[in-house]
Every structure is written in C-alpha cells, then in structure tokens.
Amino acid sequence: MRDVPAAASEPVPPRRPDGAEGFHAALLRASASTITVIDPQGTVVMSAGDTVPTLGYPTLMSLNARDLIHPDDLHIYEAMERDVLAAPDVEIDCQLRMLHNEGHWEVIEATARNMLHDPLIAGILVTTRNVSRRHRHDRLLADSAAALEAIAAGKSLDEVCRLVRDLLVHQDSAYERLSPEVEALTEALESDGSPGAEQARRIIALARSSHRAATELRRRATVDALTGLANRLGFVEALRDHLARDEGPAAVLLFDLDRFKQVNDAYGHSVGDAVLVSVADALRRTVRTGDVAARFGGDEFAVLCRELDADDTELDARRVGQRVALALATTPGPAGTGLRAMASIGVSVDRVGGGLWSDPEAWVADADHAMYEAKRLGRGRVVVADHDTRARAGRRRRVETGLRDALESGGLEVWFQPIVELPSRHVEGLEALLRWRSADGAVHLPGEFLQVAEDAGLMAAISLRTLGVAFEQAVRWPAEPGRAAPSVSVNLSVTQLLADDIVEIIAADLERTGLDPGRVVVELTEHVLAADEQLVVERLEDLRRMGVGLALDDFGTGWSSLRLVRTMPFDLIKIDRTFTADVDVSPEGADFAERIVALARSMGRRVVAEGVERSSQLEVLVAMGCEFAQGWLFGEPVPAPQVSLDRR
C-alpha cells in the first residue's frame, strides 16, 4: 500500500509581543516610515518607529525640522507649514532634501496633518519616508534621456560628457570632483560598480560610437566616393573657411573634360570612371600644399588655389591653370584606349584683402562663366574671369530666361526655307529653321541661343516643339500634279540624335500628324563623328528603317567629311556655302566645287548646294550637275503662314 501523507498541521499564528502596545511598536520598527509629532515651531516632541532608515539618527527627539532641511528647500517646508496650520485634519504632502546623520542630503517624502486639536496628540503629525533611491533612479532615467537626446541631436562628444558628469553628480555629489573630459571620465569610472557609473559608461560608449559614425558620415558627405577628392559640399566649405579667415589672394579654377560624354558613349562608364580617377591623380600631383582639389560630379572639377602672388594674382592663377591643363594632357588614360584628358579651365580670382567675394557659390559661378568662355573660344584654354566674361554671363542668363519663357509662350517659332530641284526650280522640300522671337519682338537666329539652350538642358524640349511643328506644317503642303509633296528637313545635334528616345519621338510625331516618313529628312553636321561612331550608325539605321531620309549638312567644313560620306548611311550631301560662294567668279573655286559634286555623286549621294544667292552661281552649279540648291535666290526663311511652294 502507498503511504498516505500525514495531514498537514494547523497553521501556527504569529507570535506577538505581549499586549497591544508591544505589537504596535514592532510594526512601527518594521516600517520604512517614521512617524513624528512636531510642535508649531517645528521641534520634534514625539517619535515612533525606527528613525535610522530615514535619516540615520538614533532619535529625532528635540531636533528642529528647519535645522535638517536643505537651505534651497526651506521654502517648500514653510509653504507646507502654512497650509497645515491653516487646515486642521487635512493631509499636506511635500518632497524635500534633509540632512542625513552622516552629513549628506537625502530626499524625504513627508505627509503632515494638523492634529493640534486632538488632546492625545496635540501637535502636527508628520510621516516621513526616505525616497532617495527612487529619486536617484528617476533622475538617472531623466539624465540618461537628456544625454541620449544630445547624442541623437549630433551634439559633440564634449557636450555629451558634460551631461554624463551631471548625471553622476545627481547620483552622488562626490562625483563633482570629476573632470568632464571623456578620457578622465572613462578612467575614473573603469572600476566603479554603482548603477550611475554603469549607465555613464554605456552612454559614453554609445556617444563615442555615434561620434565616430557621424564623423565618417560627415567625411563621406564632403568627399567624392570615386576619386577621394573633396566633393562640391566639401569644396564650398573650404571656400567659406577661406573667406572667413581672409587668407589673402586666392583663385578658384573650374573645369570639365572636353567631349567626356563621347568617351562614356564610346568606351562605357567603367572607362569613363577610370579617366576621372586619372584626372584626380593628376590634380593631386599638380596642386600645391594647402590647395583644395574637388570633383563636383560628372566630369566637373575645381581647385582652390591659396597663397597666390599678391603682386600679380591673375598671372599666378593662370599659370596654375596652365600647369593643370598640361598635367591632364600628359597623363596616360586607361590602358589600351590612348585617351588623354583635355580641359577648358575657368579661373576666378580674389585679390589681396579679399572683398570681391563673400558668397562661395557666387565665386564658383564666376569661375563657371570663365570656363564657358574658354569653351566658346575653342576649348583646351585657360580663361580668367573679367568684366567681359561677366557681361557675357549676364547675357546668357537673360537668354536662358527668355528661352524658358518662350517655351511657355510660343516664342520659339519654326520658319522654312525652300530647297529647289535644278534646273526646274520645283520646290523639292523645305528646311525647318528655328527662330526665337524675344519679348521685345526681335527675331534671333539659332547661333545666338542654341548653345545656351544646350548648356541649360533645354534642347530636349526645343526638339520636341520643333519636330512637332515642322511635321504639322509639312502635312499641309500639297503635291503638284505628277510630283510628290515637298519634304521637310529637320536639324538634329549630336546630343539630340543620341538621346535614348529620339527615334520614339519622331515615330510618335509621324503617327500623330499622319506625315509620310518618306517626306522627312534628318540633317546632321560633321560633329556626329565626335560621338561613338557605332552608336551613331545604329541610330541612323534606325531612322532609315522608319523610311526617314538622312542628310550630311555643311559638307566640307571639317577634315572628317569624306570619312562620314563613306561610312555613314547618308542619302544627301549639302555642300557648305563656303564652297559655293565664289563658283561664278573664281575658276579655282568652281573647280573645287565641281570635284565635290562629282565625288558625292560617285558614292551615290544626291547633292544640295547651299548659299545660292545669284543667278550666275546657279548657272555654274547646274552645269556641274548639281541636283538641288538652297539659298536666298529661291527664298529666305519665312514663318509657316508665308511659305510659298511656287518657285518656277
């Protein structure tokens, strides 16, 4: 049989001291609170319970509360005293600091009740409890939160350490001797096991980690990831620092790499990046100690040249620019490419004593204007900004603003000039030519604004408008009996041709207008050879497959003309006006033009003679066998409403 456990014995009631008084005394001694009775003057006249846990005194009898209260908290006690005396039998709570028997301050929670009317008590009943531990814990949480907020806000390590020291002092006034410096705090807390010290160590470790991360983020924010040079933000900060210190004559050099886009197109971005890295290395070798080199993004670089010659700052800055240009030109490109970096460099000088520039961005913009001028003058140059470059920059800004307004208001117009068949003079087609009618009513030719439009990134919008209007007008041109309707010729720059969506744009406009692709001729200049030849041929073949005709414009103006005619699928060659201008007055000119016509026809290309203004020119060109002509003899460019197709 299983053993049956014995029945549990009856619970034994706790043993109590003899009599009610002994029991109550034991309860008071076990309580964390101390009960006292004080007279209206604050002197303790009765005390019950253990007084040691509260303030460490064996007895509180005859002590006056005012003598134990922290001077800064005396007003709290006095307010409680007034309220208690004014309201019998009402409990009043407060919290204040009182002097411990060992000499330090403890936080005491007190509840007072006026019992003067009770003959058994005949005083003010005060219950006190030491809440220092809870108070320190609450303060530790609050101080920790403040320190963590400072870390999150990106405050300096020194600022966080000052908050950590305050945290420690709030836990124990003995920490007041500590220095708030991070190393001193770390060393002092190394073997300290108090809760405050443990929390302080954690906060300091977090602050250090956050500081390292923030420092790295700031570094990354001001350094170009590809080249390791300063980026635009870092460069502007260097300029701002230079201007604030007024460190003497200095200059900003700004440049980008000539035809860098074609490098990317031809060799790919990995080779392009390698070129950029080689440029950065060349800059490091060339700039002087104290100078700041930067890459702004893409292929744009800048250099801050400090401590230039005060006697001739511009000359010294120009020499630095020339050294940079030479260093770039002589730095080998990526292996197997044979590439050399060429740059157009703009320079803006701040002379002795400064004063010319206060805004770093304005200083960079001035160098940018000079760089634009260097490109305008033929690239590969060093140009120092002066009154003329700034005046031209102002005009460019006005042109850009005007073009933006014109895109909105319709101020960009498409005019047309006839291309006639020889010798009949039937209008074979019309070339669409862009004109800008500015707000003052003046009509501007493309040479006055297209480069500005290109630099301002407006060419895509302008192309959309030009193609759309040209196709809309061409649809309206009627065909003569027995002849096809006139074609429309539109000009595209290399940038426009290589745009990813140009074929889709042309196709969409053809579909929208219903224009036959066979009536469209796309004209390109020899600048197409500066781009990736394979990509250009692919794009031209795409247009050919659509049924669009292709013409090489301004033939003969560059060394590459013959190669273009031979390697690219052009249907039509337009001989530049420089070769037709004197065919009727110069035997040599006529002979040269005739050879061009014969060469083009031998390769199966039809020929258009441009710039025909006199009947005598026309007679010579007809005799040469030139098939088409264009020029003022047959009509100047006119707005669409003025187009006439009768040229016989």
Side-chain angles (χ1 to χ4, degrees):
M1 294 180 58
R2 295 176 58 192
D3 293 335
V4 178
S9 58
E10 293 294 325
V12 179
R15 189 173 62 86
R16 298 177 179 175
D18 295 338
E21 288 186 8
F23 176 69
H24 291 153
L27 286 179
L28 289 173
R29 283 194 300 272
S31 172
S33 299
T34 300
I35 299 175
T36 58
V37 177
I38 62 174
D39 62 20
Q41 289 73 44
T43 301
V44 178
V45 296
M46 185 182 295
S47 174
D50 190 353
T51 60
V52 173
T54 306
L55 287 173
Y57 296 98
T59 179
L60 297 176
M61 293 296 294
S62 301
L63 293 177
N64 191 287
R66 291 175 178 269
D67 297 334
L68 302 178
I69 295 170
H70 194 287
D72 293 342
D73 293 350
L74 194 58
H75 68 284
I76 299 174
Y77 172 80
E78 291 172 346
M80 182 188 73
E81 185 181 57
R82 285 193 301 270
D83 294 342
V84 165
L85 292 175
D89 249 355
V90 175
E91 290 187 347
I92 306 296
D93 298 322
C94 73
Q95 191 176 92
L96 36 69
R97 286 167 291 176
M98 299 187 74
L99 186 64
H100 193 275
N101 190 36
E102 295 178 357
H104 59 270
W105 300 101
E106 296 282 342
V107 180
I108 302 299
E109 197 172 72
T111 300
R113 183 176 180 182
N114 184 347
M115 300 295 290
L116 289 170
H117 60 281
D118 187 326
L120 292 177
I121 298 177
I124 298 171
L125 183 65
V126 181
T127 303
T128 56
R129 183 183 185 89
N130 190 324
V131 294
S132 296
R133 181 178 298 176
R134 187 183 74 196
H135 181 268
R136 281 193 294 271
H137 181 264
D138 292 345
R139 191 60 187 262
L140 180 62
L141 293 178
D143 289 343
S144 298
L148 294 174
E149 287 176 5
I151 294 172
K155 300 295 185 182
S156 70
L157 192 56
D158 289 340
E159 291 176 280
V160 174
C161 284
R162 281 193 289 271
L163 292 174
V164 169
R165 180 183 176 276
D166 292 342
L167 175 153
L168 291 167
V169 170
H170 292 153
Q171 296 300 300
D172 190 336
S173 59
Y175 287 113
E176 289 181 350
R177 59 182 176 78
L178 284 182
S179 166
E181 294 180 359
V182 61
E183 298 301 335
L185 277 176
T186 303
E187 183 179 352
L189 298 174
E190 188 173 354
S191 58
D192 191 331
S194 68
E198 290 179 1
Q199 182 70 343
R201 282 196 295 271
R202 285 193 289 267
I203 292 173
I204 291 173
L206 179 61
R208 277 180 150 163
S209 175
S210 177
H211 178 70
R212 285 193 296 269
T215 300
E216 177 62 17
L217 285 175
R218 282 194 295 271
R219 188 194 71 80
R220 292 185 182 183
T222 57
V223 173
D224 176 58
L226 176 64
T227 64
L229 300 178
N231 60 14
R232 187 183 185 101
L233 177 61
F235 189 77
V236 169
E237 286 183 0
L239 290 187
R240 187 173 287 112
D241 181 65
H242 170 83
L243 293 171
R245 295 170 183 265
D246 190 14
E247 295 178 328
V252 168
L253 275 61
L254 190 70
F255 67 89
D256 58 21
L257 306 181
D258 295 340
R259 299 183 176 87
F260 181 72
K261 183 180 185 304
Q262 283 71 34
V263 173
N264 272 336
D265 291 341
Y267 295 95
H269 288 282
S270 59
V271 171
D273 287 349
V275 171
L276 297 175
V277 170
S278 70
V279 169
D281 292 341
L283 283 179
R284 290 189 184 92
R285 293 192 301 270
T286 306
V287 299
R288 302 159 307 171
T289 303
D291 292 348
V292 179
R295 174 181 174 238
F296 281 5
D299 62 324
E300 191 171 29
F301 292 81
V303 180
L304 169 60
C305 303
R306 295 187 172 112
E307 299 181 6
L308 294 176
D309 186 351
D311 295 329
D312 200 335
T313 305
E314 286 190 7
L315 179 60
D316 199 13
R318 186 186 297 275
R319 286 170 177 162
V320 175
Q322 290 168 343
R323 287 201 303 272
V324 168
L326 180 61
L328 298 181
T330 56
T331 297
T337 65
L339 293 172
R340 291 288 191 276
M342 300 292 290
S344 301
I345 302 177
V347 181
S348 177
V349 170
D350 197 32
R351 295 174 180 80
V352 178
L356 183 58
W357 303 111
S358 58
D359 178 11
E361 292 289 358
W363 196 358
V364 172
D366 194 54
D368 187 55
H369 301 329
M371 181 180 72
Y372 187 96
E373 187 68 9
K375 292 179 180 296
R376 189 184 71 85
L377 293 174
R379 301 181 181 271
R381 296 171 180 263
V382 178
V383 172
V384 179
D386 58 15
H387 174 77
D388 291 338
T389 64
R390 290 163 191 145
R392 280 190 283 272
R395 287 195 293 272
R396 285 198 302 275
R397 285 194 296 271
R398 290 190 292 274
V399 168
E400 180 181 340
T401 301
L403 289 175
R404 292 186 185 278
D405 292 342
L407 280 169
E408 296 289 334
S409 65
L412 287 172
E413 302 175 1
V414 182
W415 290 21
F416 297 90
Q417 186 177 34
I419 300 170
V420 301
E421 182 186 54
L422 299 181
S424 67
R425 293 200 184 191
H426 284 289
V427 176
E428 174 72 12
L430 294 100
E431 181 177 0
L433 300 167
L434 188 63
R435 297 291 186 266
W436 168 38
R437 192 180 298 274
S438 54
D440 60 3
V443 176
H444 302 273
L445 299 176
E448 300 176 58
F449 62 85
L450 277 189
Q451 187 59 55
V452 175
E454 187 91 35
D455 294 338
L458 300 177
M459 284 307 299
I462 291 174
S463 296
L464 283 171
R465 175 171 177 77
T466 304
L467 291 169
V469 172
F471 292 1
E472 289 167 4
Q473 292 300 318
V475 169
R476 302 174 185 175
W477 299 333
E480 295 184 10
R483 300 182 64 88
S487 63
V488 61
S489 296
V490 292
N491 292 276
L492 293 182
S493 69
V494 180
T495 303
Q496 293 168 303
L497 176 69
L498 298 182
D500 293 337
D501 56 353
I502 187 61
V503 175
E504 289 76 9
I505 289 172
I506 293 175
D509 275 330
L510 289 172
E511 182 176 358
R512 178 179 60 83
T513 59
L515 182 64
D516 180 358
R519 293 180 56 198
V520 175
V521 177
V522 170
E523 295 190 8
L524 299 156
T525 67
E526 293 179 346
H527 290 102
V528 295
L529 200 61
D532 178 0
E533 186 172 340
Q534 181 179 350
L535 181 59
V536 170
V537 171
E538 290 175 0
R539 195 59 48 83
L540 295 180
E541 292 290 358
D542 289 340
L543 294 174
R544 285 283 297 273
R545 280 190 289 272
M546 291 172 56
V548 171
L550 302 173
L552 177 60
D553 197 11
D554 301 335
F555 178 80
T557 56
W559 60 270
S560 57
S561 295
L562 291 177
R563 180 181 174 189
L564 285 170
V565 174
R566 183 176 59 83
T567 61
M568 296 194 177
F570 291 109
D571 307 295
L572 196 67
I573 303 301
K574 300 185 75 173
I575 303 176
D576 187 71
R577 65 181 59 248
T578 57
F579 299 104
T580 63
D582 61 351
V583 294
D584 56 340
V585 295
S586 169
E588 292 81 4
D591 181 64
F592 196 79
E594 186 172 13
R595 291 174 183 273
I596 293 176
V597 172
L599 177 65
R601 295 185 66 180
S602 72
M603 290 188 285
R605 312 301 198 253
R606 293 179 296 164
V607 180
V608 179
E610 297 182 301
V612 180
E613 300 178 356
R614 301 182 301 277
S615 297
S616 54
Q617 287 176 280
L618 178 60
E619 292 174 3
V620 174
L621 291 167
V622 170
M624 291 178 185
C626 191
E627 300 161 279
F628 305 97
Q630 180 179 358
W632 281 39
L633 180 63
F634 314 106
E636 61 184 286
V638 294
Q642 300 177 28
V643 168
S644 172
L645 302 181
D646 186 6
R647 285 292 178 273
R648 288 173 291 180

